[in-house]
Amino acid sequence: MRTAGMKERKALPPGFRRHELEQRRADLHSAFPIEQDGWDALSGLPLQRELSDVMVESAIGCTPVPLGVATGFLIDGVDVTIPLAVEEPSIIAAATFAARLTRRDGGFTTWASAPLMTAQVFLEQVSTEGLAKLHDFGPQVEAALSRTLSTLAERGGGFRRFEVSRLPETGSVRADIIIDVRDAMGANRLNTAAELVRPLLEEASGGRAVMAILSNEARDRLAGARFSIPVERLAVGLSPGADPAETARRIAVAAAIAQEDTARAVTHNKGIMNGIAGLALATMNDTRAIEAAAHAWAARSGRYRSLSTFTADAGVLRGSLELPLPFATVGGAVDFHPASRASLAILGNPDAPRLARIAAALGLAQNLAALRALVTEGIQQGHMRYHAARLAWRAGARGPEVRMVAEALAKEERSDIAAAGRALAALRERGS
Ligand code: MEV
């Protein structure tokens, strides 16, 4: 279908991916019906375009996801400002709200395990004797990896364990190499290690390797956070006469429902990941790896459940969260891209375990804010402010007009694009 005023879509030229960046951009621009404001938005600055070109194949620009900071966090006694890259309107406001709720009572207390990740080699056609040989093969694996892992070992990381087991359904043998990856996410190191030992495992077992790759399960790389506040703190933002103790009780019930009901657990955990994924993107961590690990952890009992727990007893609301958080502060895009380095600077240049702890606190804060809203006024009210600002923008408001039109819309019965247009016209009329 042809859209009025837009170009028809045509195919990209052969060899597109091998063209120079600006040629690629010209090819793309002439091939797709991209409006000018869209083109401007994805073009970014020349440096950003060049970085995109260095980072991915067939780059044509970059996506400007909004970056904001959640403020007021007290994590293990330290003030932390947390950058989040997110497109959803109320995520940063919710995190900041929960940070304020908790900080008078010590904020969030957090912990993290050592940054252990697993590289896997899967083998087929392994006899019982072959498997027995692999069971004793740990020292050889460690020796074979000593050069590859030497720089990690110098920093206190490196080889930790070697484990083998036979998978009951396929009969394949799974060989796990557990490595302390220190501040890296570890994917490159783990994949290199797995591929390096693959022929050795074939030789020792008499089997044939099917594949060698890291596991994103990350169940040995956990972090957690907890808080406890007197229930009266929940009075902030409640309508007059509403009982904060009842709000606390309902938060605990809501959390218990998320433990029991899978459909609810998925949404509950999505709310936790709203913050964690935003932090991952702001620091250019591997968002997919972090999400995959979290959801696998939620299903570790064989049933998908909530990642967090809340209790309301004796006038105190307590919340806690634990999950794998394979966050890195070096390697990949994390310490390469200047935008990610800027986010790390805002965070106080943490090491990887500290970043995982901050992520855990953020996830729990996000969860607390969501549950508090859900069991009281609902989440739509909080969304309306941002919705109104977007309507104002769409109606043509710019600069300070956006806020003024949004405020005018808040007083209207209907808030739609027509109402925003009327509010903008009235504002301009008054100003002229
Ligand atoms: C929305 O992005 C997140 C929530 O749905 C989370 C939840 O329901 O707990 C509000």
Side-chain angles (χ1 to χ4, degrees):
M1 193 185 80
R2 198 186 163 95
T3 313
M6 285 187 180
K7 284 173 282 181
E8 197 109 41
R9 196 161 79 96
K10 57 182 199 210
L12 288 171
F16 172 80
R17 71 185 175 86
R18 286 188 297 276
H19 290 174
E20 290 296 316
L21 171 65
E22 291 308 324
Q23 179 60 50
R24 234 183 281 134
R25 281 167 48 78
D27 292 343
L28 189 99
H29 200 197
S30 65
F32 291 94
I34 302 170
E35 289 176 54
Q36 190 57 44
D37 59 352
W39 184 250
D40 293 343
L42 61 74
S43 292
L45 299 170
L47 172 73
Q48 293 164 345
R49 289 207 290 277
E50 261 183 65
L51 281 167
S52 297
D53 197 30
V54 171
M55 290 171 75
V56 299
E57 181 166 298
S58 296
I60 51 98
C62 41
T63 290
V65 179
L67 180 72
V69 288
T71 57
F73 271 85
L74 188 62
I75 302 176
D76 304 311
V78 177
D79 282 302
V80 187
T81 300
I82 307 181
L84 287 104
V86 277
E87 88 302 339
E88 195 177 319
S90 48
I91 288 175
I92 295 175
T96 298
F97 176 77
R100 298 247 146 85
L101 272 188
T102 54
R103 69 174 288 129
R104 265 178 69 184
D105 303 288
F108 295 90
T109 304
T110 68
W111 59 272
S113 69
L116 299 184
M117 296 286 290
T118 298
Q120 299 191 297
V121 181
F122 292 93
L123 300 133
E124 58 181 354
Q125 298 160 18
V126 178
S127 64
T128 308
E129 299 74 47
L131 181 59
K133 280 196 192 146
L134 286 185
H135 274 296
D136 299 326
F137 204 61
Q140 286 89 329
V141 170
E142 182 172 7
L145 292 176
S146 68
R147 259 187 66 184
T148 300
L149 302 182
S150 63
T151 53
L152 263 185
E154 279 159 21
R155 284 183 273 121
F159 177 88
R160 288 295 178 269
R161 301 194 305 277
F162 177 70
E163 292 167 358
V164 286
S165 58
R166 195 183 288 282
L167 300 178
E169 286 173 25
T170 58
S172 304
V173 163
R174 161 187 164 163
D176 285 359
I177 307 148
I178 294 102
I179 295 170
D180 183 326
V181 295
R182 297 281 93 186
D183 290 320
M185 189 272 187
N188 275 337
R189 199 78 75 139
L190 292 158
N191 293 338
T192 304
E195 288 181 11
L196 197 84
V197 299
R198 170 189 173 132
L200 306 182
L201 300 182
E202 284 182 317
E203 201 182 322
S205 68
R208 277 186 41 208
V210 181
M211 57 189 160
I213 184 76
L214 88 161
S215 167
N216 285 116
E217 189 186 33
R219 62 182 304 150
D220 294 317
R221 195 175 188 177
L222 298 174
R226 61 185 157 78
F227 74 88
S228 72
I229 53 172
V231 294
E232 299 83 60
R233 297 276 181 266
L234 295 167
V236 186
L238 285 187
S239 42
D243 178 9
E246 174 60 6
T247 302
R249 187 193 69 79
R250 288 164 63 82
I251 287 174
V253 173
I257 290 171
Q259 283 292 338
E260 184 178 4
D261 183 65
T262 295
R264 172 60 203 150
V266 175
T267 318
H268 178 102
N269 291 343
K270 186 269 184 187
I272 292 170
M273 299 312 288
N274 270 345
I276 294 173
L279 173 61
L281 195 55
T283 53
M284 294 204 193
N285 266 282
D286 185 337
T287 53
R288 290 85 54 214
I290 290 167
E291 291 272 5
H295 296 296
W297 182 254
R300 69 193 181 284
S301 67
R303 187 162 136 204
Y304 188 96
R305 291 179 188 275
S306 150
L307 290 163
S308 64
T309 53
F310 285 78
T311 59
D313 288 317
V316 178
L317 176 71
R318 291 188 173 80
S320 66
L321 171 69
E322 177 192 73
L323 73 166
L325 285 166
F327 269 83
T329 54
V330 298
V334 177
D335 62 355
F336 174 73
H337 202 287
S340 159
R341 289 203 305 273
S343 287
L344 289 173
I346 293 168
L347 289 157
N349 289 317
D351 61 10
R354 173 71 182 158
L355 183 55
R357 291 163 66 158
I358 293 170
L362 175 64
L364 185 56
Q366 214 76 62
N367 194 209
L368 168 63
L371 295 184
R372 196 215 66 107
L374 288 171
V375 302
T376 55
E377 82 275 1
I379 59 157
Q380 285 311 95
Q381 201 169 304
H383 279 176
M384 287 325 285
R385 196 153 53 96
Y386 304 98
H387 178 62
R390 288 184 190 198
L391 281 177
W393 177 275
R394 285 196 176 171
R398 292 295 180 269
E401 288 177 341
V402 174
R403 187 180 48 79
M404 289 189 267
V405 170
E407 279 168 9
L409 277 181
K411 294 181 198 127
E412 297 265 330
E413 220 161 78
R414 287 179 55 153
S415 63
D416 53 20
I417 188 83
R422 281 195 299 276
L424 179 62
L427 179 75
R428 286 183 176 168
E429 181 107 9
R430 283 198 302 277
S432 63

